Amino acid sequence: MPKMPRVSKAALAKVVTAAVKRKAPAKHKLAEEFPSGEILFDVAKGQWKLGPVIGKGGFGLIYLATDDLRAPVDKHAQYVVKIEPIDNGPLFCELHFYQRAAKIEMIDSWVQERRLRYLGVPKYIGTGRHEKNGRTYRFMVIQRFSTDLQKLFVKSQTFLPRTVMALGLRMIDALEYLHENEYIHADIKAANMLLGYKGAKIAQDEVYLVDYGLAFRYSVDGKHKEYKEDPRKAHDGTIEFTSRDAHKGVCPSRRGDFEILGYCMLQWLCGRLPWEDNLSDPDYVRDSKIKYMRNIPSLLKACFPGRDHPDAISSYLSLVVKLDYDEKPDYKQLRKILLDGLHKMGCKDEWKLHLPPSGTISTTPIITKVQRKRKSPLPQDDSGEPSFVPPKQRKTTSKVVRSPVPAVMTSPRRRKVASPGKTKPPKTLSNGQIDLSSVSWAARSPSADVKKTKSATGPKRTPTKRRVKRSRKPEMDAAIQTTPGLKRNR
């Protein structure tokens, strides 16, 4: 019997490791695109008519939809439908959150009890399954929203401090509701914040926290999840905003949500976080966050080099960093910090977001020539005062400027001279200039306002005047141009 070749322990260990190594999770399958007019039936036997695709993600597609089957789905539809193959997981996780914590009656009751204008959490409308070409799909119906804040942030680079404080207040409202219903969002960022959509118009002062694909139930029957680090789950979420707990693989918590929101507000204020220079290295990002959160002043100095920053963001981060893993945040105190920040800026309405509608913030109003000509109202700043004062306009008039010096002009319309009698024509000297002593006082008088010389008995057009008008000699033009009170013929 032949001898078996010897195998080193190192080689054997590699073989065993490869055998027991887990397979990588399969990529999510994309749903095929359904034609406009496709009808879906939810579990409550409601019918939904699909319109065009308005979004696409790793889980599937998003369609405009309506519950009115008689009319086509237009661009002003009030609902959207998310569809993915039933084997995929993100929509399944999101759907569980909506069914448990985002029912219409639950949100309406919360808003009424706390006297809010609205709550930035989408309302769950319906769900169901759909068969197409031998495949089964899961779908969910929610209310429609408008553009996301990331598009506005990319164009404007930063948000106004009052905008950041107002957005933070609305997110605190949403997070308090989620936490009271035992859920964590875990992926707060501008791309997951959408403006409202009402009556075919964008609701500029309403913002909603969406995308609950990473939503996590941190407490079951009142028992909080234990703090346990798991390297296999490390760095979950969006790398630049991920909490320190998530970097270590710890289950999401309430303090993690507020830490992520703090990073978002910080980026909106300064434009770039200190660790964004190397996002490809998760360990570097984690270590940077741990270092800076131990020393909040150093973090603010790195974000605002040589610049002032709102005191509210410093107070907010200082309060969040003191929270324990399973501690309930003081929502009232967090809200008060941002409210005080707004009041210091002179903002009284906390519900006004002051977002740039076009994605740009103009700091220098531009007054065009057309605006000056039409005397358009001047742009105003926040205090209601004009932010730009144009130079004084030069008055123009069709009247001849009166002067004690005689003005010899030609015009198709002629007036009578105020003094009676025939006006003597002025004499012309040998050098081509006019002899002022020969001009009658009536022609010099300011009351004459002469555009022509004409009397009741005299000719309609005097030879001297005719010669002045028709003269094309350069020396004559120069004499008229340089003589005070005379205007060059045109």
Side-chain angles (χ1 to χ4, degrees):
M1 185 175 179
K3 294 182 178 180
M4 296 293 294
R6 288 188 176 184
V7 180
S8 65
K9 294 182 178 180
L12 183 61
K14 288 183 179 181
V15 173
V16 174
T17 302
V20 300
K21 188 176 182 181
R22 292 185 178 182
K23 294 183 179 180
K27 294 183 178 180
H28 300 310
K29 300 177 182 178
L30 290 178
E32 64 176 289
E33 187 170 337
F34 300 151
S36 295
E38 186 93 3
I39 306 299
L40 308 181
F41 295 84
D42 62 27
V43 293
K45 298 183 179 180
Q47 300 182 45
W48 301 94
K49 188 175 184 180
L50 296 183
V53 175
I54 61 170
K56 183 180 296 186
F59 58 86
L61 303 174
I62 303 176
Y63 298 79
L64 287 180
T66 181
D67 55 353
D68 185 1
L69 304 184
R70 298 169 298 178
V73 183
D74 60 18
K75 61 181 181 180
H76 302 308
Q78 299 299 308
Y79 302 99
V80 295
V81 173
K82 288 187 174 184
I83 302 178
E84 72 169 11
I86 199 169
D87 297 334
N88 289 1
L91 185 57
F92 177 79
C93 177
E94 190 170 15
L95 182 57
H96 268 257
F97 160 77
Y98 276 106
Q99 289 177 323
R100 289 183 56 87
K103 295 178 181 177
I104 296 177
E105 58 272 15
M106 294 175 63
I107 293 179
D108 289 345
S109 175
W110 181 276
V111 170
Q112 186 176 1
E113 289 176 2
R114 284 159 177 76
R115 299 180 180 180
L116 305 176
R117 292 188 187 179
Y118 74 97
L119 180 66
V121 176
K123 295 178 180 179
Y124 165 74
I125 308 297
T127 186
R129 296 186 179 186
H130 184 67
E131 301 286 340
K132 183 76 172 181
N133 297 332
R135 297 182 67 185
T136 303
Y137 297 90
R138 180 187 292 109
F139 71 88
M140 180 178 66
V141 186
I142 60 174
Q143 63 188 111
R144 180 188 178 178
F145 300 105
S146 182
T147 186
D148 64 81
L149 298 191
Q150 183 63 21
K151 292 184 176 66
L152 302 182
F153 178 73
V154 168
K155 293 180 180 179
S156 61
Q157 300 300 314
T158 59
F159 286 153
L160 295 173
R162 59 184 178 182
T163 298
V164 176
M165 301 299 115
L167 288 173
L169 285 168
R170 301 290 70 81
M171 290 301 102
I172 291 176
D173 290 344
L175 292 178
E176 183 179 10
Y177 175 82
L178 299 181
H179 297 169
E180 287 298 308
N181 285 279
E182 300 182 336
Y183 272 93
I184 301 296
H185 188 277
D187 196 22
I188 304 161
K189 56 184 177 181
N192 288 339
M193 299 179 192
L194 305 183
L195 294 180
Y197 189 84
K198 289 186 177 180
K201 293 182 180 180
I202 298 176
Q204 282 289 131
D205 291 319
E206 291 188 8
V207 61
Y208 293 81
L209 182 60
V210 302
D211 196 349
Y212 293 84
L214 295 180
F216 177 76
R217 193 177 180 190
Y218 73 93
S219 175
V220 180
D221 298 330
K223 186 178 180 180
H224 197 287
K225 293 286 185 179
E226 294 182 359
Y227 181 93
K228 184 178 180 181
E229 297 182 8
D230 187 351
R232 296 174 299 175
K233 300 178 181 179
H235 314 300
D236 277 355
T238 304
I239 188 67
E240 54 263 53
F241 308 117
T242 299
S243 68
R244 293 164 298 164
D245 288 337
H247 275 298
K248 299 175 183 178
V250 180
C251 293
S253 66
R254 291 170 290 188
R255 76 172 181 183
D257 267 356
F258 281 106
E259 182 179 336
I260 295 172
L261 177 59
Y263 295 148
C264 289
M265 292 193 295
L266 198 56
Q267 188 199 57
W268 297 338
L269 286 169
C270 69
R272 185 177 176 84
L273 296 171
W275 45 83
E276 288 190 62
D277 58 342
N278 191 11
L279 294 179
S280 60
D281 186 352
D283 293 336
Y284 167 79
V285 176
R286 176 200 61 204
D287 295 341
S288 298
K289 290 176 182 176
I290 293 174
K291 178 187 70 174
Y292 281 119
M293 290 299 281
R294 287 174 179 169
N295 189 349
I296 301 300
S298 67
L299 172 59
L300 298 176
K301 185 177 180 180
C303 293
F304 304 91
R307 294 182 294 157
D308 293 333
H309 60 270
D311 294 335
I313 189 65
S314 176
S315 301
Y316 175 93
L317 292 174
S318 298
L319 184 59
V320 170
V321 78
K322 295 177 182 178
L323 291 172
D324 291 331
Y325 174 71
D326 57 354
E327 182 181 353
K328 180 178 180 179
D330 189 342
Y331 302 96
K332 186 177 180 180
Q333 181 62 25
L334 289 167
R335 195 177 285 110
K336 184 179 183 300
I337 290 173
L338 301 186
L339 273 175
D340 291 343
L342 272 181
H343 294 161
K344 287 182 180 179
M345 301 172 199
C347 301
K348 298 180 180 179
D349 188 358
E350 64 173 280
W351 299 90
K352 190 77 173 176
L353 297 181
H354 303 284
L355 283 166
S358 61
T360 57
I361 300 176
S362 177
T363 57
T364 307
I366 299 175
I367 306 299
T368 63
K369 292 181 179 180
V370 175
Q371 286 177 310
R372 291 194 183 104
K373 185 176 180 181
R374 296 180 181 178
K375 297 182 180 180
S376 301
L378 298 176
Q380 298 180 349
D381 57 19
D382 298 334
S383 62
E385 296 296 328
S387 55
F388 177 84
V389 180
K392 293 183 179 180
Q393 304 297 316
R394 180 177 296 176
K395 295 182 179 180
T396 57
T397 176
S398 59
K399 293 183 180 180
V400 177
V401 179
R402 297 178 180 178
S403 172
V405 182
V408 181
M409 300 182 64
T410 59
S411 174
R413 297 180 60 188
R414 294 174 176 267
R415 294 182 182 179
K416 292 182 179 181
V417 182
S419 60
K422 185 177 180 180
T423 303
K424 294 181 180 181
K427 293 181 180 180
T428 305
L429 302 178
S430 59
N431 60 1
Q433 296 185 357
I434 297 176
D435 185 5
L436 298 180
S437 62
S438 65
V439 181
S440 64
W441 177 252
R444 299 184 202 175
S445 174
S447 62
D449 197 13
V450 182
K451 285 186 180 180
K452 59 186 176 179
T453 55
K454 176 184 175 183
S455 64
T457 58
K460 294 182 179 180
R461 197 181 287 268
T462 61
T464 304
K465 291 291 184 180
R466 190 181 302 114
R467 285 197 298 273
V468 172
K469 179 180 179 181
R470 294 180 180 179
S471 175
R472 291 291 182 267
K473 296 180 180 180
E475 62 270 19
M476 187 62 181
D477 288 345
I480 294 176
Q481 187 176 1
T482 55
T483 304
L486 300 182
K487 192 170 183 179
R488 184 174 181 175
N489 293 320
R490 298 182 183 278

